[in-house]
Amino acid sequence: MKFLSVIAFAALPAVASAWMPPFSIAQGNPIRRSVAKFTDEKVSEEAVAKAVEAALLAPNHFLSEPTRMYDLGPEAVEKLKALNEDKAKMFSGVPGWMLVTCKTEHLDENGGISAKLALEDHATVACAAQNFMQSLAEDGVGTKWMTGALGIDPTEILGVAGASPEEEKMVGMIWYGTPAKPLSDAKAPPRKLGV
């Protein structure tokens, strides 16, 4: 696929306005919406792998590579259900769970992400999460970025995934799956502030 892209670039005319890039965040953003209801249809491993590759292309100051991603399987999800039985039914309706964490050596003196370089690493991971969700949306896959609404302590979530709470900070859990309604039907909520 990458090889074909290179050939396409070589065959393009020299006029910049005559060509549209194959991947455009500006064109694609309207299709990435938070999805909470999914079908049982399986998401292809190819779509997930492509999305992970897109995630890892996020801007990364000093190439510190802080992004860690854990695709949780059924056993891990069962453990999460046991940690919050009140939400077990909702959790059962989510086919894919991708834990996104930040591993940085630049934490502040309290182990938090408030130090300058740790904030840059956190920003990289947030961009990676957006790239992951955007890539899936372009393949018709719905996503939802979850954090506190899971109702589970982040250190427990890290433990379920096999990540070290001492070395990594949870940035988000990305739910993903085939949306119950087409992404094109989802509308962005109106924003209160302009750009």
Side-chain angles (χ1 to χ4, degrees), residues 116-192:
K116 181 180 187 265
L117 292 176
L119 287 170
E120 289 183 6
D121 283 346
H122 187 270
T124 290
V125 179
C127 289
Q130 171 66 11
N131 283 4
F132 176 77
M133 294 186 304
Q134 178 63 32
S135 177
L136 286 174
E138 291 179 6
D139 283 331
V141 178
T143 59
K144 185 170 184 176
W145 186 332
M146 299 292 290
T147 52
L150 292 170
I152 304 170
D153 184 298
T155 57
E156 291 185 280
I157 294 171
L158 291 166
V160 166
S164 168
E166 292 79 35
E167 295 181 10
E168 298 177 47
K169 302 292 181 192
M170 178 177 158
V171 175
M173 181 73 74
I174 311 299
W175 288 353
Y176 67 91
T178 302
K181 295 180 183 175
L183 291 177
S184 57
D185 290 353
K187 302 297 176 219
R191 301 302 196 239
K192 296 175 184 151

Side-chain angles (χ1 to χ4, degrees), residues 30-101:
I31 64 169
R32 207 252 1 116
R33 301 272 49 95
S34 291
V35 173
K37 294 185 178 177
F38 304 94
T39 69
D40 293 333
E41 185 180 334
K42 187 165 171 46
V43 174
S44 76
E45 289 180 21
E46 180 185 355
V48 176
K50 187 171 76 169
V52 168
E53 287 180 25
L56 298 179
L57 293 175
N60 183 204
H61 197 210
F62 297 118
L63 293 176
S64 57
E65 299 181 340
T67 303
R68 301 292 182 273
M69 300 177 84
Y70 300 86
D71 200 8
L72 304 186
E75 208 173 288
V77 174
E78 288 302 317
K79 290 178 183 177
L80 293 177
K81 288 182 197 175
L83 291 171
N84 188 344
E85 293 177 358
D86 291 340
K87 296 196 176 181
K89 184 178 178 185
M90 178 176 62
F91 290 177
S92 293
V94 180
W97 295 65
M98 183 67 75
L99 174 62
V100 181
T101 72

